[in-house]
Structures are given as C-alpha cells and as structure tokens.
Amino acid sequence: MTPPSLTLFEAHAAPLATGFGQITTVMELVRTRGIATVEGLDTRTKVLSFARQVMTLVSHRDSDPDALTTIRDRGASTQRPGLAGLGTGELLAHTERSSLPSPPRLMLLVCQQPADSGGDVLLTDGRALHTFLLERAPQALEMMTLPGTAFYGDGGGHPSQIFTRHRGERITIRLRQDALAAFSPLLQPHLAHLRTAIETVQQRITLNAGQGYIIDNSRWLHARTGFRGDRVCLRALGSPRTPIPPGFPVMDPRADAVPDGLPGTFLPSAPVGRTLL
C-alpha cells in the first residue's frame, strides 16, 4: 500500500496568505498539538524565511552557514555513530539533539527532492505513546520515568530518562535508539514494550517537494525509512519565538479518545493541520 501523502491532512482553517496571521496559526497548532504541516516551501530561501519567522535558529554540527542542515546521503562517513540521518538507511524514532542538556524545542523538516523510492517519514506523538504504555504496560512506563536510566551521546553526553514529569502535570519525551544510547539494566527488559508501542502509534507519510512539518521536539519523535536515490531535505532547529509549554499534558486513560483510540495521532480523521505558504 502506498503511504498517504501529506496533502491528505487538511487544515483546521482555510489556507492563509503569507503573513503574521499564518505564522500565528502554525504556532497555535504546535502549542496545542505539538505539530503543524506546511507546504509550498520549495526553495531554500522559502524554508529559511519561514524558519526565521517561527524560531530563533541554532546551528548544528552538520549545519550550513545559514544554520539550515542539508539532509542527503553523504556516503561512507555516515557509518560513524550519530550520522545515520545523513545516510540512506533506516532512521529509528528519536528526539533531535537528545545528547544536549536542553535539546532544541522546535524542528522543521522540509523535502526539497523526494527519493526514488522509500524515505517515508514516521512520526510518533509522545502523548499517544505515553497513553498506550499507561494502558498496556504501566510497569514499563514507570521504569521509563526513573531518572538516570538512559544516557544519550558519547562521553560528553547527557544522563536522562525517556519520560520526564514536570510541574503542572506535563510530560516530555527524550529518546534515541542508536549506538550513542545506553540504558540501565533496570530499564532494558522493558524496552521491547517501548518498541512495540512506537510501532503501534507511529504514523507514516510521504513528503513531496516543498512539503514538510514542524514539531515540538519535546513531544514528538521522528524517524525515516531507508531510501534509494538522491533524497534532499532541509532541517532547521531552534527556540520558538512564541512561548509554548513543554511536552504534553498527562492523558487521563478514562477520558474519551479521538478516532481509533490514539489521542493526538496523525490521522486524516483527526487532522493536524496544513498551511500553504
């Protein structure tokens, strides 16, 4: 079955002209649902202009002078730990820059050239993931909240946990699943529950040229299937210009669920929102 195109996900409101009102709509979606979809960003100039309106950009080790990172196959160098995103292989669900004490809050990813085959985006709402685990594997979930049970990065990385509880009954998620992730022996027996939950609630979409998404990096995990061909995407990382609360509110499992019983998932029947730029 062909994965759904991003264009299946209709906007909460009619498409808006470029301007302040449009940015306000995008950021309201990010604030309330942690994600907004965009299209029409078919040049680097447009991506950079949009990114600068919604965030204060921060540079990355692999970013270009304008702070955008060109995501494409960079050959043999991607075999080194932490560089899988610059190769053609599968990229597992993760938090961007998870090894930093404070990962960037926002990530924008926009396709400039689709792959010949593969390269589908896999998005996981941390709220849906937390709710699934709370209902199906509560003991595993409790272990995932214990401080210091995860370590992300090399020797200069950051000790953490998968879910962090904050004041105001909010929760953030932080995860990576590559060679730069280490988990406590207390947590390791429960990681299978996490992988099953991610596979159950993640949503797969394809991105055509100029299409992309912006996520709250403390709520959503993102991933990618392997691909063939010269797939090119642009990524921006930064802090929101409009303050947004961290992560997501705790979900009461007794509350009514949205369609398919997965709160906050990326479904045509439960639209996230699309903005034409």
Side-chain angles (χ1 to χ4, degrees):
M1 179 181 297
T2 301
S5 168
L6 178 140
T7 55
L8 289 176
F9 305 114
E10 298 300 333
H12 282 265
L16 303 169
T18 301
F20 178 77
Q22 185 177 45
I23 298 302
T24 300
T25 300
V26 169
M27 293 311 297
E28 178 60 18
L29 287 169
V30 174
R31 186 187 70 81
T32 57
R33 304 194 66 177
I35 189 168
T37 58
V38 294
E39 62 181 14
L41 301 180
D42 53 0
T43 68
R44 190 181 191 96
T45 298
K46 291 179 181 178
V47 173
L48 185 59
S49 175
F50 175 74
R52 285 173 171 168
Q53 291 180 76
V54 299
M55 70 177 81
T56 301
L57 291 166
V58 296
S59 296
H60 180 268
R61 172 198 60 201
D62 304 306
S63 62
D64 301 312
D66 59 5
L68 296 182
T69 302
T70 303
I71 307 294
R72 68 190 313 166
D73 179 22
R74 299 192 184 182
S77 64
T78 62
Q79 301 302 314
R80 303 202 318 260
L83 294 179
L86 300 176
T88 61
E90 177 187 25
L91 189 62
L92 297 177
H94 66 285
T95 301
E96 200 63 43
R97 308 297 325 265
S98 59
S99 60
L100 295 180
S102 298
R105 282 298 305 279
L106 297 181
M107 191 206 73
L108 169 69
L109 186 86
V110 181
C111 178
Q112 299 295 279
Q113 179 172 300
D116 293 340
S117 62
D120 301 322
V121 172
L122 303 171
L123 295 169
T124 302
D125 184 355
R127 186 182 186 188
L129 186 64
H130 185 273
T131 300
F132 183 94
L133 290 167
L134 184 62
E135 295 176 343
R136 310 289 180 87
Q139 182 180 3
L141 176 61
E142 190 62 28
M143 296 301 298
M144 294 174 200
T145 67
L146 293 181
T149 49
F151 186 90
Y152 303 129
D154 53 18
H158 183 70
S160 185
Q161 52 278 340
I162 296 173
F163 291 101
T164 301
R165 296 177 176 133
H166 300 268
R167 292 180 180 179
E169 296 189 339
R170 296 191 70 87
I171 295 174
T172 57
I173 186 170
R174 183 193 297 234
L175 179 67
R176 68 185 303 154
Q177 303 182 78
D178 61 4
L180 296 182
F183 300 99
S184 162
L186 294 173
L187 180 57
Q188 287 179 4
H190 303 282
L191 294 178
H193 292 292
L194 177 66
R195 290 189 288 268
T196 296
I198 290 173
E199 291 174 359
T200 301
V201 306
Q202 70 184 2
Q203 301 296 307
R204 177 187 296 232
I205 60 172
T206 57
L207 294 178
N208 296 319
Q211 296 181 329
Y213 57 91
I214 180 171
I215 58 172
D216 178 349
N217 193 41
S218 70
R219 171 168 175 169
W220 285 77
L221 305 175
H222 69 114
R224 178 199 72 208
T225 65
F227 65 90
R228 296 177 58 188
D230 190 18
R231 178 182 186 265
V232 180
C233 292
L234 296 175
R235 182 186 64 199
L237 302 172
S239 303
R241 293 187 177 276
T242 302
I244 56 177
F248 53 91
V250 176
M251 184 68 185
D252 183 349
R254 297 167 298 179
D256 292 336
V258 297
D260 287 3
L262 298 175
T265 50
F266 211 27
L267 300 172
S269 56
V272 169
R274 181 184 62 173
T275 299
L276 301 181
L277 299 174

Coordinates of all heavy atoms in Angstrom, one line a residue, residues 160-223:
S160 N 19.7 10.9 31.4 CA 18.4 11.3 31.3 C 17.4 10.1 31.6 O 17.8 9.1 32.3 CB 18.1 11.9 30.0 OG 16.8 12.4 29.9
Q161 N 16.2 10.2 31.2 CA 15.2 9.2 31.2 C 14.3 9.4 30.0 O 14.4 10.4 29.3 CB 14.4 9.2 32.5 CG 13.8 10.5 32.8 CD 14.7 11.5 33.5 OE1 15.8 11.1 34.1 NE2 14.4 12.8 33.4
I162 N 13.5 8.4 29.6 CA 12.7 8.5 28.4 C 11.6 9.5 28.6 O 11.4 10.4 27.8 CB 12.2 7.1 28.0 CG1 13.4 6.2 27.6 CG2 11.2 7.2 26.8 CD1 13.1 4.8 27.3
F163 N 10.9 9.4 29.7 CA 9.8 10.3 30.0 C 10.2 11.1 31.3 O 10.6 10.5 32.3 CB 8.5 9.6 30.3 CG 7.9 9.0 29.0 CD1 8.0 7.6 28.8 CD2 7.2 9.8 28.1 CE1 7.5 7.0 27.7 CE2 6.6 9.2 26.9 CZ 6.8 7.8 26.7
T164 N 10.0 12.4 31.2 CA 10.3 13.3 32.4 C 9.0 14.0 32.8 O 8.3 14.6 32.0 CB 11.3 14.3 32.0 OG1 12.5 13.7 31.6 CG2 11.6 15.2 33.2
R165 N 8.7 13.9 34.1 CA 7.5 14.6 34.6 C 7.8 16.0 35.1 O 8.9 16.2 35.7 CB 6.9 13.8 35.8 CG 6.4 12.4 35.4 CD 5.9 11.6 36.6 NE 5.3 10.4 36.3 CZ 5.6 9.2 36.8 NH1 6.5 9.2 37.9 NH2 5.0 8.1 36.5
H166 N 7.0 16.9 34.7 CA 7.2 18.3 35.1 C 6.0 18.9 35.9 O 5.0 18.2 36.0 CB 7.3 19.2 33.8 CG 8.4 18.8 32.9 ND1 9.7 19.4 33.0 CD2 8.5 17.9 31.9 CE1 10.5 18.8 32.1 NE2 9.8 17.9 31.4
R167 N 6.2 20.0 36.5 CA 5.1 20.6 37.3 C 4.0 21.0 36.3 O 4.2 21.2 35.1 CB 5.6 21.9 37.9 CG 6.7 21.7 39.0 CD 7.1 23.0 39.6 NE 8.0 22.8 40.7 CZ 8.6 23.8 41.4 NH1 8.3 25.1 41.1 NH2 9.4 23.6 42.4
G168 N 2.8 21.0 36.9 CA 1.6 21.3 36.0 C 1.2 20.1 35.3 O 0.4 20.2 34.3
E169 N 1.6 18.9 35.7 CA 1.1 17.6 35.1 C 1.4 17.6 33.6 O 0.6 17.2 32.8 CB -0.4 17.4 35.4 CG -0.7 17.2 36.9 CD -2.1 16.8 37.1 OE1 -3.0 17.0 36.2 OE2 -2.4 16.2 38.1
R170 N 2.7 18.0 33.3 CA 3.1 17.9 31.9 C 4.3 16.9 31.8 O 5.0 16.7 32.8 CB 3.5 19.2 31.3 CG 2.3 20.2 31.2 CD 2.6 21.4 30.4 NE 2.8 21.1 29.0 CZ 1.8 21.1 28.1 NH1 0.6 21.3 28.5 NH2 2.0 20.8 26.8
I171 N 4.5 16.3 30.7 CA 5.5 15.3 30.5 C 6.2 15.6 29.2 O 5.6 15.9 28.2 CB 4.9 13.9 30.4 CG1 4.2 13.5 31.7 CG2 5.9 12.8 30.0 CD1 3.4 12.2 31.7
T172 N 7.6 15.4 29.2 CA 8.3 15.5 28.0 C 9.0 14.1 27.7 O 9.1 13.3 28.6 CB 9.5 16.5 28.1 OG1 10.3 16.2 29.2 CG2 8.9 17.9 28.3
I173 N 9.3 13.9 26.4 CA 9.9 12.7 26.0 C 11.3 13.0 25.4 O 11.5 14.0 24.8 CB 9.1 11.9 25.0 CG1 9.7 10.5 24.7 CG2 8.8 12.7 23.7 CD1 8.7 9.6 23.8
R174 N 12.3 12.1 25.6 CA 13.6 12.2 25.1 C 14.1 10.8 24.8 O 14.1 9.9 25.7 CB 14.6 12.9 26.1 CG 16.0 13.1 25.5 CD 17.0 13.5 26.6 NE 16.7 14.7 27.2 CZ 17.5 15.7 27.4 NH1 18.7 15.6 26.8 NH2 17.2 16.8 28.0
L175 N 14.5 10.5 23.5 CA 14.8 9.2 23.1 C 15.8 9.2 22.0 O 15.7 10.0 21.1 CB 13.6 8.4 22.7 CG 13.8 6.9 22.3 CD1 14.3 6.1 23.4 CD2 12.5 6.4 21.7
R176 N 16.7 8.3 22.0 CA 17.5 7.9 20.8 C 17.7 6.4 20.9 O 17.7 5.8 22.0 CB 18.8 8.7 20.6 CG 19.8 8.4 21.6 CD 21.0 9.3 21.4 NE 21.6 9.2 20.1 CZ 22.3 10.2 19.5 NH1 22.5 11.4 20.1 NH2 22.8 10.0 18.3
Q177 N 17.9 5.7 19.7 CA 18.0 4.3 19.7 C 19.2 3.8 18.9 O 19.1 2.7 18.3 CB 16.7 3.7 19.1 CG 15.4 4.1 19.9 CD 14.2 3.4 19.3 OE1 13.9 2.3 19.5 NE2 13.4 4.2 18.5
D178 N 20.2 4.6 18.8 CA 21.4 4.2 18.0 C 22.5 3.8 18.9 O 22.3 3.5 20.1 CB 21.8 5.3 17.1 CG 22.2 6.6 17.8 OD1 22.2 6.6 19.1 OD2 22.5 7.6 17.1
A179 N 23.7 3.7 18.4 CA 24.9 3.3 19.2 C 25.3 4.3 20.3 O 26.1 4.0 21.1 CB 26.1 3.1 18.3
L180 N 24.7 5.5 20.2 CA 25.1 6.5 21.2 C 24.0 6.6 22.3 O 23.9 7.5 23.1 CB 25.2 7.9 20.6 CG 26.4 8.0 19.6 CD1 26.4 9.4 19.0 CD2 27.7 7.7 20.2
A181 N 23.2 5.5 22.4 CA 22.2 5.4 23.5 C 22.6 4.2 24.4 O 22.9 3.1 23.9 CB 20.8 5.2 23.0
A182 N 22.5 4.5 25.7 CA 22.8 3.4 26.7 C 21.7 3.4 27.7 O 21.3 4.5 28.2 CB 24.1 3.6 27.4
F183 N 21.2 2.2 28.1 CA 20.1 2.1 29.0 C 20.5 1.3 30.2 O 21.2 0.3 30.1 CB 18.8 1.6 28.4 CG 18.4 2.4 27.2 CD1 18.7 2.0 25.9 CD2 17.6 3.5 27.4 CE1 18.3 2.7 24.8 CE2 17.2 4.3 26.3 CZ 17.5 3.9 25.0
S184 N 19.9 1.7 31.4 CA 20.2 1.0 32.6 C 19.7 -0.5 32.5 O 18.7 -0.8 31.9 CB 19.5 1.7 33.8 OG 19.3 0.9 34.9
P185 N 20.4 -1.4 33.2 CA 19.9 -2.8 33.3 C 18.5 -2.9 33.8 O 17.7 -3.8 33.5 CB 20.9 -3.5 34.2 CG 22.1 -2.7 34.0 CD 21.7 -1.3 33.9
L186 N 18.1 -1.9 34.7 CA 16.7 -1.9 35.2 C 15.7 -1.6 34.1 O 14.6 -2.1 34.2 CB 16.6 -0.8 36.3 CG 17.4 -1.0 37.6 CD1 17.3 0.2 38.5 CD2 16.9 -2.2 38.3
L187 N 16.1 -0.9 33.1 CA 15.2 -0.4 32.0 C 15.2 -1.4 30.9 O 14.2 -1.6 30.2 CB 15.5 1.0 31.6 CG 14.7 1.6 30.5 CD1 13.2 1.6 30.9 CD2 15.2 3.0 30.2
Q188 N 16.3 -2.0 30.6 CA 16.5 -2.8 29.4 C 15.4 -3.9 29.2 O 14.9 -4.0 28.0 CB 17.8 -3.5 29.3 CG 18.9 -2.5 29.0 CD 20.3 -3.1 29.0 OE1 20.4 -4.3 29.2 NE2 21.4 -2.3 28.8
P189 N 14.9 -4.6 30.2 CA 13.8 -5.6 30.0 C 12.5 -5.0 29.5 O 11.7 -5.7 29.0 CB 13.7 -6.2 31.4 CG 14.9 -6.0 32.1 CD 15.4 -4.6 31.6
H190 N 12.4 -3.7 29.6 CA 11.1 -3.0 29.3 C 11.2 -2.3 27.9 O 10.1 -1.8 27.5 CB 10.7 -2.0 30.4 CG 10.6 -2.6 31.7 ND1 9.5 -3.3 32.1 CD2 11.5 -2.6 32.8 CE1 9.7 -3.7 33.4 NE2 10.8 -3.3 33.8
L191 N 12.3 -2.3 27.3 CA 12.4 -1.6 26.0 C 11.6 -2.2 24.9 O 11.2 -1.6 24.0 CB 13.9 -1.5 25.6 CG 14.8 -0.7 26.5 CD1 16.2 -0.7 26.1 CD2 14.3 0.8 26.6
A192 N 11.4 -3.5 25.0 CA 10.5 -4.2 24.0 C 9.1 -3.6 24.0 O 8.5 -3.5 22.9 CB 10.5 -5.7 24.2
H193 N 8.6 -3.2 25.2 CA 7.3 -2.6 25.2 C 7.3 -1.2 24.5 O 6.4 -0.9 23.9 CB 6.9 -2.4 26.7 CG 6.6 -3.7 27.4 ND1 5.5 -4.5 27.1 CD2 7.3 -4.3 28.5 CE1 5.5 -5.6 27.9 NE2 6.6 -5.5 28.8
L194 N 8.4 -0.5 24.7 CA 8.6 0.8 24.1 C 8.6 0.6 22.6 O 7.8 1.4 21.8 CB 9.8 1.5 24.5 CG 10.1 2.8 23.9 CD1 9.1 3.8 24.3 CD2 11.5 3.3 24.3
R195 N 9.3 -0.3 22.0 CA 9.4 -0.5 20.6 C 8.1 -0.9 20.0 O 7.6 -0.4 19.0 CB 10.5 -1.5 20.3 CG 11.9 -1.0 20.5 CD 12.9 -2.0 19.9 NE 13.0 -3.2 20.7 CZ 13.8 -3.4 21.7 NH1 14.7 -2.5 22.1 NH2 13.9 -4.6 22.4
T196 N 7.3 -1.8 20.7 CA 6.0 -2.2 20.3 C 5.1 -1.0 20.2 O 4.3 -0.8 19.3 CB 5.4 -3.3 21.2 OG1 6.3 -4.4 21.1 CG2 4.0 -3.7 20.8
A197 N 5.1 -0.2 21.3 CA 4.2 1.0 21.4 C 4.5 2.0 20.2 O 3.6 2.5 19.6 CB 4.4 1.7 22.7
I198 N 5.8 2.2 20.0 CA 6.2 3.1 18.9 C 5.6 2.6 17.5 O 5.0 3.3 16.7 CB 7.7 3.3 18.8 CG1 8.2 4.1 20.0 CG2 8.1 4.0 17.5 CD1 9.7 4.2 20.1
E199 N 5.8 1.3 17.3 CA 5.4 0.7 16.0 C 3.8 0.8 15.9 O 3.3 0.9 14.8 CB 5.8 -0.7 15.9 CG 7.3 -0.9 15.7 CD 7.8 -2.3 15.8 OE1 6.9 -3.2 16.0 OE2 9.0 -2.6 15.6
T200 N 3.2 0.8 17.0 CA 1.7 0.8 17.0 C 1.1 2.2 16.7 O 0.2 2.3 16.0 CB 1.1 0.3 18.4 OG1 1.6 -1.1 18.6 CG2 -0.4 0.3 18.4
V201 N 1.7 3.2 17.3 CA 1.1 4.5 17.3 C 1.7 5.4 16.2 O 1.2 6.5 15.9 CB 1.1 5.3 18.6 CG1 0.5 4.4 19.7 CG2 2.5 5.7 19.0
Q202 N 2.9 5.1 15.7 CA 3.5 6.0 14.7 C 2.8 6.1 13.4 O 2.1 5.1 13.0 CB 5.0 5.6 14.5 CG 5.2 4.3 13.7 CD 6.6 3.9 13.5 OE1 7.5 4.6 14.0 NE2 6.9 2.8 12.8
Q203 N 2.8 7.2 12.8 CA 2.1 7.5 11.5 C 3.1 7.7 10.4 O 4.1 8.4 10.5 CB 1.2 8.7 11.7 CG 0.2 8.6 12.8 CD -0.8 7.5 12.6 OE1 -1.4 7.5 11.5 NE2 -1.0 6.6 13.5
R204 N 2.8 7.1 9.3 CA 3.7 7.1 8.1 C 3.1 8.0 7.0 O 2.0 7.9 6.7 CB 3.9 5.7 7.5 CG 4.8 5.7 6.3 CD 4.8 4.3 5.6 NE 5.4 3.3 6.5 CZ 6.4 2.5 6.1 NH1 6.9 2.6 4.9 NH2 6.9 1.6 7.0
I205 N 4.0 9.0 6.5 CA 3.5 9.8 5.5 C 4.7 10.0 4.4 O 5.8 9.7 4.7 CB 3.1 11.3 6.0 CG1 4.3 11.9 6.6 CG2 1.9 11.2 6.9 CD1 4.1 13.4 7.0
T206 N 4.3 10.4 3.2 CA 5.3 10.7 2.3 C 5.4 12.3 2.1 O 4.3 12.9 2.3 CB 5.0 10.1 0.9 OG1 3.7 10.6 0.5 CG2 5.0 8.6 0.9
L207 N 6.5 12.8 1.8 CA 6.7 14.2 1.6 C 7.0 14.4 0.1 O 8.0 13.9 -0.4 CB 7.8 14.8 2.5 CG 7.5 14.8 4.0 CD1 8.8 15.4 4.7 CD2 6.3 15.6 4.3
N208 N 6.3 15.3 -0.5 CA 6.6 15.7 -1.9 C 7.4 17.0 -1.8 O 7.6 17.6 -0.7 CB 5.4 15.9 -2.7 CG 4.6 14.6 -2.9 OD1 5.2 13.6 -3.2 ND2 3.3 14.7 -2.8
A209 N 8.0 17.5 -2.9 CA 8.8 18.6 -2.9 C 8.1 19.8 -2.3 O 6.9 20.1 -2.7 CB 9.3 18.9 -4.3
G210 N 8.7 20.5 -1.4 CA 8.1 21.7 -0.7 C 7.2 21.4 0.5 O 6.8 22.3 1.1
Q211 N 7.0 20.1 0.8 CA 6.2 19.8 1.9 C 7.1 19.4 3.1 O 8.2 18.9 3.0 CB 5.3 18.6 1.6 CG 4.3 18.8 0.5 CD 3.4 17.6 0.2 OE1 3.8 16.5 0.3 NE2 2.2 17.9 -0.2
G212 N 6.5 19.7 4.3 CA 7.3 19.3 5.5 C 6.4 19.4 6.8 O 5.2 19.6 6.7
Y213 N 7.1 19.4 7.9 CA 6.4 19.5 9.2 C 7.3 20.2 10.2 O 8.5 20.2 10.1 CB 6.0 18.1 9.7 CG 7.2 17.2 9.8 CD1 7.9 17.1 11.0 CD2 7.6 16.4 8.8 CE1 9.0 16.2 11.2 CE2 8.7 15.5 8.9 CZ 9.4 15.4 10.1 OH 10.4 14.6 10.2
I214 N 6.7 20.9 11.2 CA 7.4 21.4 12.3 C 6.9 20.8 13.5 O 5.6 20.6 13.7 CB 7.2 23.0 12.3 CG1 8.0 23.6 13.5 CG2 5.8 23.4 12.3 CD1 8.1 25.1 13.5
I215 N 7.8 20.3 14.4 CA 7.3 19.6 15.6 C 7.9 20.2 16.9 O 9.0 20.8 16.8 CB 7.7 18.1 15.6 CG1 9.2 17.9 15.4 CG2 7.0 17.4 14.5 CD1 9.7 16.5 15.5
D216 N 7.2 20.0 18.0 CA 7.8 20.3 19.3 C 8.6 19.1 19.6 O 8.1 18.0 19.8 CB 6.6 20.4 20.3 CG 7.1 20.7 21.7 OD1 8.3 20.5 22.0 OD2 6.3 21.0 22.6
N217 N 9.9 19.3 19.7 CA 10.9 18.3 19.9 C 10.8 17.6 21.2 O 11.4 16.6 21.5 CB 12.3 18.8 19.6 CG 13.4 17.8 19.4 OD1 13.2 16.8 18.8 ND2 14.5 18.1 20.0
S218 N 10.1 18.2 22.2 CA 10.0 17.6 23.5 C 8.7 16.8 23.6 O 8.4 16.2 24.6 CB 9.9 18.7 24.6 OG 8.7 19.5 24.5
R219 N 7.9 16.7 22.5 CA 6.7 15.9 22.4 C 6.7 14.8 21.3 O 6.3 13.7 21.6 CB 5.5 16.8 22.2 CG 4.2 16.0 22.0 CD 3.0 16.9 22.1 NE 1.8 16.1 21.7 CZ 0.5 16.5 21.9 NH1 0.3 17.7 22.4 NH2 -0.5 15.8 21.5
W220 N 7.2 15.1 20.2 CA 7.1 14.2 19.0 C 8.5 13.6 18.7 O 9.5 14.3 18.8 CB 6.7 14.9 17.8 CG 5.2 15.2 17.8 CD1 4.6 16.2 18.5 CD2 4.2 14.5 17.1 NE1 3.2 16.2 18.2 CE2 2.9 15.2 17.4 CE3 4.2 13.4 16.2 CZ2 1.7 14.7 16.8 CZ3 3.0 13.0 15.7 CH2 1.8 13.6 16.0
L221 N 8.5 12.3 18.4 CA 9.7 11.6 17.9 C 9.5 11.5 16.4 O 8.4 11.4 15.8 CB 9.7 10.2 18.4 CG 9.7 10.0 20.0 CD1 9.7 8.5 20.3 CD2 10.9 10.7 20.6
H222 N 10.6 11.6 15.7 CA 10.6 11.4 14.2 C 11.6 10.4 13.7 O 12.6 10.1 14.4 CB 10.8 12.8 13.5 CG 12.2 13.3 13.6 ND1 13.0 13.4 12.5 CD2 12.9 13.8 14.7 CE1 14.2 14.0 12.9 NE2 14.1 14.1 14.2
A223 N 11.3 9.8 12.6 CA 12.1 8.7 12.1 C 11.9 8.7 10.5 O 11.1 9.5 10.0 CB 11.6 7.4 12.7

